[in-house]
Amino acid sequence: MPTLYIVATPIGNLKDISLRAIETLKEVDFILAEDTRESFKLLNHYGIKKPLISYFQHSRLSKVEHILDLLIQGKNLALISDAGTPGINDPGGRLIEEVVKKFGERVQIVPIPGPNAAITALSISGFNADKFLFLGYPPHKKGRNKFFKEVAGSKHPVVFYESVHRILKTLAELNQLENLKDRQIMVARELTKKFETVYRGKIEEIIPQIENQKLGEFVVIVS
Ligand code: SAM
């Protein structure tokens, strides 16, 4: 049966990859990557030489069809994203959806677990993470208010992603919500990378500390 491996890769530090992930990437016929240049760095580091096929959310249907064709031919494929676990808030999810819809039980989908930015941040938060709400990215326009209300109304810690371009705007808007002002939050920047920084405190205490950051990827956790 053709197999599609969903392989988690590092979120920064190249050493954060499992032996099984490396082994799988060395064995498959093709690797499907979000951005081939980005994945090349990782594959090169581990001496993995396999044909790469790029996929991304807005790729034309023909690319998905091509990938489905390879599965029909019985090829084994590995899907990786730019960072972390494919399908968790990245375009891999759409491809997995198509494969499940089109092939059902005829293709084996095998997870090769590993890093994920949300879980990595949660693991050091010190907030009770027995239950939590993961909300992905805040919408830019439509649904943004609803998103913030959901954060404010949650009984459990809320985890979400944000980019460097929008982190200050998002934190400022969160701070406008009455019952969030005094809440403890944690912001994790550049996890596992050289400039890894973790900020803890109230929103108004954290904003000035990240005002000068021009680079970075962020996970926000609201207690
Ligand atoms: N699939 C990925 C995962 O498993 O975490 C998430 C992909 S999503 C497109 C990328 C977002 O994850 C970034 O904008 C950032 O919010 C968060 N992220 C990824 N790597 C990170 C890191 N090293 N430190 C902090 N946040 C990170």
Side-chain angles (χ1 to χ4, degrees), residues 117-122 125 127 132-138 147-148 151 156-164 166-172 174-175 180 183-191 197-203 206-207 210 217-223:
I119 300 293
T120 305
L122 204 53
S125 70
F127 303 144
F132 64 91
L133 177 64
F134 174 61
L135 292 178
Y137 286 99
F147 177 97
F148 289 127
V151 175
H156 308 294
V158 182
V159 186
F160 65 88
Y161 289 157
E162 194 48 285
S163 73
V164 70
R166 305 185 63 86
I167 185 75
L168 284 171
K169 181 177 190 300
T170 292
L171 291 181
L174 271 184
N175 205 31
L180 284 189
R183 208 84 72 81
Q184 289 294 305
I185 72 161
M186 186 192 96
V187 177
R189 171 177 176 260
E190 295 287 85
L191 286 163
T197 323
V198 177
Y199 307 91
R200 298 172 195 270
K202 291 184 193 170
I203 304 171
I206 293 178
I207 290 176
I210 51 181
E217 299 192 279
F218 295 83
V219 180
V220 179
I221 307 185
V222 178
S223 68

Coordinates of all heavy atoms in Angstrom, one line a residue, residues 117-122 125 127 132-138 147-148 151 156-164 166-172 174-175 180 183-191 197-203 206-207 210 217-223:
A117 N 5.6 24.2 17.7 CA 5.9 25.5 18.4 C 4.9 25.7 19.6 O 5.3 26.1 20.7 CB 5.8 26.7 17.5
A118 N 3.6 25.4 19.4 CA 2.6 25.6 20.4 C 2.9 24.8 21.6 O 3.0 25.2 22.8 CB 1.2 25.3 19.9
I119 N 3.2 23.5 21.4 CA 3.4 22.5 22.5 C 4.7 22.8 23.2 O 4.8 22.8 24.4 CB 3.4 21.1 22.0 CG1 2.0 20.8 21.4 CG2 3.7 20.1 23.1 CD1 0.8 20.8 22.3
T120 N 5.7 23.2 22.4 CA 7.0 23.6 23.0 C 6.9 24.7 23.9 O 7.4 24.7 25.1 CB 8.0 23.9 21.9 OG1 8.1 22.8 21.0 CG2 9.4 24.1 22.4
A121 N 6.1 25.8 23.5 CA 5.9 26.9 24.4 C 5.1 26.6 25.6 O 5.5 26.9 26.7 CB 5.2 28.0 23.6
L122 N 4.1 25.8 25.4 CA 3.2 25.4 26.5 C 4.0 24.6 27.6 O 3.8 24.8 28.8 CB 2.1 24.5 26.0 CG 0.8 24.5 26.7 CD1 0.2 25.8 27.1 CD2 -0.2 23.6 25.9
S125 N 5.5 27.0 30.0 CA 4.7 28.1 30.5 C 4.5 28.2 32.0 O 4.3 29.3 32.5 CB 3.3 28.1 29.8 OG 2.5 27.0 30.3
F127 N 1.8 27.3 33.2 CA 0.4 27.4 33.4 C -0.1 25.9 33.3 O 0.5 25.1 32.7 CB -0.3 28.2 32.2 CG 0.2 29.6 32.1 CD1 0.4 30.2 30.8 CD2 0.6 30.4 33.2 CE1 0.9 31.5 30.7 CE2 1.0 31.7 33.1 CZ 1.2 32.2 31.8
F132 N -6.1 22.9 27.3 CA -5.8 24.3 26.7 C -6.5 24.5 25.4 O -7.1 23.5 24.8 CB -4.3 24.4 26.5 CG -3.7 23.5 25.5 CD1 -3.6 23.8 24.2 CD2 -3.2 22.2 25.9 CE1 -3.0 23.0 23.2 CE2 -2.7 21.4 25.0 CZ -2.6 21.7 23.6
L133 N -6.6 25.7 25.0 CA -7.3 26.0 23.7 C -6.2 26.6 22.7 O -5.5 27.6 23.0 CB -8.3 27.1 24.0 CG -9.1 27.7 22.8 CD1 -10.0 26.6 22.2 CD2 -10.0 28.8 23.3
F134 N -6.1 26.0 21.6 CA -5.1 26.4 20.6 C -5.9 27.1 19.4 O -6.8 26.5 18.9 CB -4.3 25.3 20.0 CG -3.4 25.6 18.9 CD1 -2.4 26.6 19.0 CD2 -3.6 25.1 17.6 CE1 -1.6 26.9 18.0 CE2 -2.8 25.4 16.5 CZ -1.8 26.4 16.7
L135 N -5.6 28.4 19.2 CA -6.4 29.1 18.2 C -5.6 29.5 16.9 O -6.1 30.3 16.1 CB -6.9 30.4 18.9 CG -8.0 30.2 20.0 CD1 -8.4 31.5 20.6 CD2 -9.2 29.5 19.4
G136 N -4.4 29.0 16.7 CA -3.7 29.3 15.4 C -3.4 30.8 15.4 O -3.0 31.4 16.5
Y137 N -3.5 31.5 14.2 CA -3.2 32.9 14.1 C -4.4 33.7 14.4 O -5.5 33.3 13.9 CB -2.7 33.2 12.7 CG -1.3 32.8 12.4 CD1 -1.1 31.6 11.7 CD2 -0.2 33.6 12.8 CE1 0.2 31.2 11.4 CE2 1.1 33.2 12.5 CZ 1.3 32.0 11.8 OH 2.6 31.6 11.4
P138 N -4.3 34.9 15.0 CA -5.5 35.8 15.0 C -5.8 36.3 13.6 O -4.9 36.6 12.8 CB -5.0 37.0 15.8 CG -3.7 36.6 16.5 CD -3.2 35.5 15.7
F147 N -12.2 36.5 17.8 CA -11.0 35.8 18.3 C -10.6 36.3 19.7 O -10.4 35.5 20.6 CB -9.8 36.0 17.3 CG -8.5 35.4 17.7 CD1 -8.1 34.2 17.1 CD2 -7.7 36.1 18.5 CE1 -6.9 33.6 17.5 CE2 -6.5 35.5 18.9 CZ -6.1 34.3 18.4
F148 N -10.6 37.6 19.8 CA -10.2 38.2 21.1 C -11.2 37.8 22.2 O -10.8 37.6 23.4 CB -9.9 39.7 21.0 CG -8.7 40.0 20.2 CD1 -8.8 40.9 19.2 CD2 -7.5 39.5 20.5 CE1 -7.6 41.2 18.4 CE2 -6.3 39.8 19.8 CZ -6.4 40.7 18.8
V151 N -10.5 34.4 23.4 CA -9.3 34.4 24.3 C -9.8 34.8 25.7 O -9.5 34.1 26.7 CB -8.2 35.3 23.8 CG1 -7.0 35.4 24.8 CG2 -7.7 34.9 22.4
H156 N -9.6 27.9 30.0 CA -8.3 27.2 29.9 C -7.2 28.1 29.3 O -7.6 29.0 28.6 CB -8.4 25.9 29.1 CG -9.5 25.1 29.6 ND1 -9.6 24.5 30.8 CD2 -10.7 24.7 29.0 CE1 -10.7 23.8 31.0 NE2 -11.4 24.0 29.9
P157 N -5.9 27.8 29.5 CA -4.9 28.7 28.9 C -5.1 28.7 27.3 O -5.5 27.6 26.8 CB -3.6 27.9 29.2 CG -3.9 27.2 30.5 CD -5.4 26.8 30.4
V158 N -4.9 29.8 26.7 CA -5.1 29.9 25.3 C -3.7 30.1 24.6 O -2.9 30.9 25.1 CB -5.9 31.1 24.9 CG1 -6.2 31.2 23.4 CG2 -7.3 31.1 25.6
V159 N -3.4 29.3 23.6 CA -2.2 29.4 22.9 C -2.5 29.9 21.5 O -3.4 29.4 20.8 CB -1.5 28.0 22.8 CG1 -0.1 28.1 22.2 CG2 -1.5 27.3 24.1
F160 N -1.7 30.8 21.0 CA -1.8 31.2 19.6 C -0.5 31.7 19.0 O 0.5 31.9 19.7 CB -2.9 32.2 19.4 CG -2.8 33.6 20.0 CD1 -2.1 34.6 19.3 CD2 -3.3 33.9 21.2 CE1 -1.9 35.9 19.9 CE2 -3.1 35.1 21.8 CZ -2.5 36.1 21.2
Y161 N -0.5 31.7 17.7 CA 0.8 32.1 16.9 C 0.7 33.5 16.5 O -0.4 34.1 16.2 CB 0.9 31.2 15.7 CG 1.3 29.8 15.9 CD1 1.0 28.8 14.9 CD2 1.9 29.4 17.0 CE1 1.3 27.5 15.1 CE2 2.3 28.1 17.3 CZ 2.0 27.1 16.3 OH 2.3 25.8 16.5
E162 N 1.8 34.2 16.4 CA 1.8 35.6 15.8 C 3.1 35.8 15.1 O 4.2 35.3 15.5 CB 1.5 36.6 16.9 CG 1.1 38.0 16.3 CD 0.1 38.0 15.2 OE1 0.4 37.6 14.1 OE2 -1.1 38.3 15.5
S163 N 3.1 36.7 14.1 CA 4.3 37.0 13.4 C 4.9 38.3 14.0 O 4.2 39.0 14.7 CB 4.0 37.3 11.9 OG 3.3 38.5 11.8
V164 N 6.2 38.6 13.6 CA 6.9 39.7 14.1 C 6.2 41.1 13.7 O 6.2 42.0 14.4 CB 8.3 39.7 13.7 CG1 8.5 40.0 12.2 CG2 9.1 40.7 14.5
R166 N 3.0 41.6 13.5 CA 1.7 41.9 14.1 C 1.7 41.7 15.6 O 0.7 42.0 16.2 CB 0.7 41.0 13.4 CG 0.7 41.2 11.9 CD -0.5 40.4 11.3 NE -1.8 40.8 11.7 CZ -2.4 41.8 11.1 NH1 -2.0 42.4 10.1 NH2 -3.6 42.1 11.6
I167 N 2.8 41.3 16.1 CA 2.8 40.9 17.6 C 2.4 42.1 18.5 O 1.6 42.0 19.4 CB 4.1 40.2 18.0 CG1 4.0 39.7 19.5 CG2 5.3 41.1 17.8 CD1 3.2 38.5 19.7
L168 N 3.0 43.3 18.2 CA 2.7 44.4 19.0 C 1.2 44.9 18.9 O 0.6 45.2 19.9 CB 3.6 45.6 18.7 CG 5.0 45.4 19.2 CD1 6.0 46.5 18.7 CD2 5.1 45.4 20.8
K169 N 0.7 44.9 17.7 CA -0.7 45.3 17.4 C -1.6 44.3 18.2 O -2.5 44.7 18.9 CB -0.9 45.2 15.9 CG -2.3 45.6 15.5 CD -2.4 45.6 14.0 CE -3.6 46.2 13.4 NZ -4.9 45.6 13.8
T170 N -1.3 43.0 18.1 CA -2.2 42.0 18.7 C -2.1 42.1 20.2 O -3.2 42.1 20.9 CB -1.7 40.6 18.3 OG1 -2.0 40.5 16.9 CG2 -2.4 39.5 19.0
L171 N -0.9 42.3 20.8 CA -0.8 42.5 22.3 C -1.5 43.7 22.7 O -2.2 43.7 23.7 CB 0.6 42.5 22.7 CG 1.4 41.2 22.6 CD1 2.8 41.3 23.1 CD2 0.7 40.0 23.3
A172 N -1.4 44.8 21.9 CA -2.1 46.1 22.3 C -3.6 45.9 22.3 O -4.3 46.3 23.2 CB -1.7 47.2 21.4
L174 N -5.2 43.0 22.7 CA -5.6 42.1 23.9 C -5.6 42.9 25.2 O -6.5 42.7 26.0 CB -4.5 41.1 24.1 CG -4.5 39.8 23.3 CD1 -3.4 38.8 23.7 CD2 -5.9 39.0 23.5
N175 N -4.7 43.9 25.3 CA -4.7 44.7 26.5 C -5.9 45.6 26.7 O -6.1 46.1 27.8 CB -3.4 45.5 26.5 CG -2.9 45.9 27.9 OD1 -3.2 45.1 28.8 ND2 -2.3 47.0 28.0
L180 N -8.5 40.9 30.6 CA -7.2 40.4 30.2 C -6.1 41.2 30.8 O -4.9 40.8 30.9 CB -7.1 40.3 28.7 CG -7.8 39.1 28.0 CD1 -7.4 39.0 26.6 CD2 -7.5 37.8 28.7
R183 N -4.1 39.6 33.6 CA -3.8 38.2 33.4 C -2.3 38.0 33.1 O -1.7 38.8 32.4 CB -4.7 37.7 32.2 CG -5.1 36.3 32.2 CD -6.3 35.9 32.9 NE -7.6 36.3 32.4 CZ -8.2 35.7 31.4 NH1 -7.7 34.6 30.8 NH2 -9.4 36.0 31.0
Q184 N -1.8 37.0 33.6 CA -0.4 36.6 33.3 C -0.3 36.0 31.9 O -1.2 35.2 31.6 CB 0.1 35.6 34.3 CG 0.4 36.1 35.7 CD 1.5 37.1 35.7 OE1 2.6 36.9 35.3 NE2 1.2 38.3 36.2
I185 N 0.6 36.4 31.1 CA 0.8 35.8 29.8 C 2.3 35.4 29.7 O 3.1 35.8 30.4 CB 0.3 36.7 28.6 CG1 1.3 37.8 28.4 CG2 -1.1 37.2 28.8 CD1 1.2 38.4 27.0
M186 N 2.5 34.6 28.7 CA 3.9 34.2 28.3 C 4.0 34.4 26.8 O 3.1 34.0 26.1 CB 4.2 32.8 28.7 CG 5.7 32.5 28.5 SD 6.0 30.7 28.6 CE 6.0 30.2 26.9
V187 N 5.1 35.0 26.4 CA 5.4 35.2 25.0 C 6.7 34.5 24.7 O 7.7 34.8 25.4 CB 5.4 36.6 24.5 CG1 5.8 36.8 23.0 CG2 4.1 37.3 24.8
A188 N 6.7 33.5 23.8 CA 8.0 32.8 23.5 C 8.4 33.2 22.1 O 7.6 33.1 21.2 CB 7.8 31.3 23.6
R189 N 9.6 33.7 22.0 CA 10.2 34.2 20.8 C 11.3 33.3 20.3 O 12.2 32.9 21.2 CB 10.6 35.6 20.9 CG 11.4 36.2 19.8 CD 11.8 37.7 20.0 NE 12.6 38.0 18.8 CZ 13.9 38.1 18.9 NH1 14.6 37.9 20.0 NH2 14.6 38.5 17.8
E190 N 11.3 32.9 19.1 CA 12.5 32.2 18.5 C 12.9 30.9 19.3 O 14.1 30.7 19.6 CB 13.7 33.1 18.4 CG 13.5 34.3 17.4 CD 13.6 33.8 16.0 OE1 12.5 33.4 15.5 OE2 14.6 33.9 15.4
L191 N 11.9 30.1 19.6 CA 12.2 28.9 20.4 C 13.2 28.0 19.7 O 13.1 27.8 18.5 CB 10.9 28.1 20.6 CG 9.9 28.7 21.6 CD1 8.5 28.2 21.4 CD2 10.4 28.5 23.0
T197 N 13.9 33.8 23.4 CA 13.6 34.7 24.6 C 12.2 34.4 25.0 O 11.3 34.2 24.2 CB 13.6 36.2 24.2 OG1 14.7 36.4 23.2 CG2 13.9 37.1 25.4
V198 N 12.1 34.3 26.4 CA 10.7 34.0 26.9 C 10.4 35.2 27.8 O 11.1 35.6 28.7 CB 10.7 32.7 27.7 CG1 9.4 32.5 28.4 CG2 11.1 31.6 26.8
Y199 N 9.2 35.8 27.6 CA 8.7 37.0 28.3 C 7.6 36.5 29.2 O 6.6 35.9 28.6 CB 8.3 38.1 27.4 CG 9.3 38.5 26.4 CD1 9.3 37.9 25.1 CD2 10.2 39.5 26.6 CE1 10.2 38.3 24.2 CE2 11.1 39.9 25.7 CZ 11.1 39.2 24.4 OH 12.0 39.6 23.5
R200 N 7.6 36.8 30.5 CA 6.5 36.5 31.3 C 6.0 37.7 32.1 O 6.8 38.5 32.5 CB 6.9 35.4 32.4 CG 7.4 34.1 31.8 CD 8.0 33.2 32.9 NE 8.7 32.1 32.3 CZ 8.2 30.9 32.0 NH1 7.0 30.7 32.2 NH2 9.0 30.0 31.5
G201 N 4.7 37.8 32.2 CA 4.1 39.0 33.0 C 2.8 39.4 32.5 O 2.1 38.7 31.7
K202 N 2.4 40.6 32.8 CA 1.2 41.2 32.3 C 1.5 41.7 30.9 O 2.6 42.1 30.6 CB 0.7 42.4 33.2 CG 0.2 41.9 34.5 CD -0.3 43.1 35.2 CE -0.5 42.8 36.7 NZ -0.8 44.0 37.5
I203 N 0.4 41.9 30.1 CA 0.6 42.3 28.7 C 1.4 43.7 28.7 O 2.3 43.8 27.9 CB -0.7 42.5 28.0 CG1 -1.5 41.1 28.0 CG2 -0.5 42.9 26.5 CD1 -2.9 41.2 27.5
I206 N 5.0 43.3 29.0 CA 5.8 42.6 28.0 C 5.9 43.5 26.7 O 7.0 43.5 26.0 CB 5.1 41.3 27.6 CG1 5.2 40.4 28.8 CG2 5.6 40.7 26.4 CD1 4.5 39.0 28.7
I207 N 4.9 44.3 26.4 CA 4.9 45.1 25.2 C 6.2 45.9 25.1 O 6.9 45.9 24.0 CB 3.7 46.1 25.1 CG1 2.5 45.2 24.8 CG2 3.9 47.1 24.0 CD1 1.1 45.9 24.7
I210 N 9.3 44.0 23.8 CA 9.4 43.5 22.5 C 9.3 44.6 21.4 O 9.3 44.3 20.2 CB 8.5 42.3 22.2 CG1 7.1 42.6 22.5 CG2 8.9 41.0 22.8 CD1 6.2 41.4 22.2
E217 N 9.8 34.8 15.5 CA 8.5 34.1 15.4 C 8.0 34.0 16.8 O 8.8 33.7 17.7 CB 8.7 32.7 14.8 CG 9.2 32.8 13.4 CD 9.1 31.4 12.7 OE1 10.0 30.6 13.0 OE2 8.2 31.2 12.0
F218 N 6.7 34.1 17.0 CA 6.2 34.2 18.4 C 5.0 33.2 18.7 O 4.2 33.0 17.8 CB 5.6 35.6 18.6 CG 6.7 36.7 18.6 CD1 7.1 37.2 17.4 CD2 7.2 37.1 19.8 CE1 8.1 38.2 17.3 CE2 8.2 38.1 19.7 CZ 8.6 38.7 18.5
V219 N 5.1 32.7 19.9 CA 3.9 32.0 20.4 C 3.4 32.7 21.7 O 4.3 33.1 22.5 CB 4.2 30.5 20.8 CG1 3.0 29.8 21.4 CG2 4.8 29.7 19.7
V220 N 2.1 33.0 21.7 CA 1.6 33.7 22.9 C 0.7 32.7 23.7 O -0.1 32.0 23.1 CB 0.7 34.9 22.4 CG1 0.1 35.7 23.6 CG2 1.5 35.9 21.5
I221 N 0.9 32.8 25.0 CA 0.0 32.0 25.9 C -0.6 32.9 26.9 O 0.1 33.6 27.6 CB 0.8 30.8 26.6 CG1 1.5 30.0 25.5 CG2 -0.2 29.9 27.3 CD1 2.2 28.8 26.1
V222 N -2.0 32.8 27.0 CA -2.7 33.6 28.0 C -3.2 32.7 29.0 O -3.9 31.7 28.7 CB -3.9 34.4 27.3 CG1 -4.7 35.2 28.3 CG2 -3.4 35.3 26.1
S223 N -2.8 33.0 30.3 CA -3.2 32.1 31.4 C -4.7 32.1 31.6 O -5.4 33.1 31.3 CB -2.5 32.4 32.6 OG -2.9 33.6 33.2

